Amino acid sequence: MTTPTGWLQQAKTWARSIKWDVVALWIAARDRRVPWYAKLAAGCVAGYALSPIDLIPDFIPVLGYLDDIILVPLGIMLVVRLIPVRLMAEFRAMAAVRDGRPMSRAGAVAIVLIWLVAVVLFAWRFWPRRT
């Protein structure tokens, strides 16, 4: 068995840090020292990332993994920049000692509501009308 190459090891390390950053953002969204706009963004990104339901289901080829591979990490990187460095370091330390990842039921509810609204709008637009 071959050893992982340098870029593969870096990708694995980055993926692990991103996983803990989601938990740190979840903590940041509940902390009163974080600015309101960063709280809102942190809550949205963490809620989506921790939701058991994806906006784009994984069984859809290519697009299903697009949110997990590109959108979530970009959202995390953006929100981390909104939070003061000292606070983010504290939240990362708190996330590292947590037993597990929290689950966002609110994120799941929001995604289900988005899908329901999309289905209703689609049906309203394309349902045959009696003339």
Side-chain angles (χ1 to χ4, degrees), residues 5 9 17 23 34 45-46 52 58 70 79 97 114-115 124:
T5 60
Q9 190 61 37
S17 70
V23 178
V34 176
V45 170
D58 290 341
I70 296 174
V79 174
V97 298
I114 289 169
W115 273 104
W124 177 74

Side-chain angles (χ1 to χ4, degrees), residues 48-66:
Y48 179 72
L50 297 171
S51 170
I53 302 171
D54 282 342
L55 184 61
I56 305 169
D58 290 341
F59 64 81
I60 297 174
V62 181
L63 292 177
Y65 291 104
L66 195 64

Side-chain angles (χ1 to χ4, degrees), residues 18 21-22 25 45 49 71-81:
I18 288 288
D21 276 354
V22 169
L25 291 180
V45 170
L71 296 179
V72 171
L74 284 176
I76 291 169
M77 289 187 306
L78 180 93
V79 174
V80 164
R81 291 175 186 245

Side-chain angles (χ1 to χ4, degrees), residues 3-16:
T3 60
T5 60
W7 70 269
L8 184 59
Q9 190 61 37
Q10 286 178 342
K12 287 180 181 180
T13 303
W14 182 71
R16 267 187 245 114

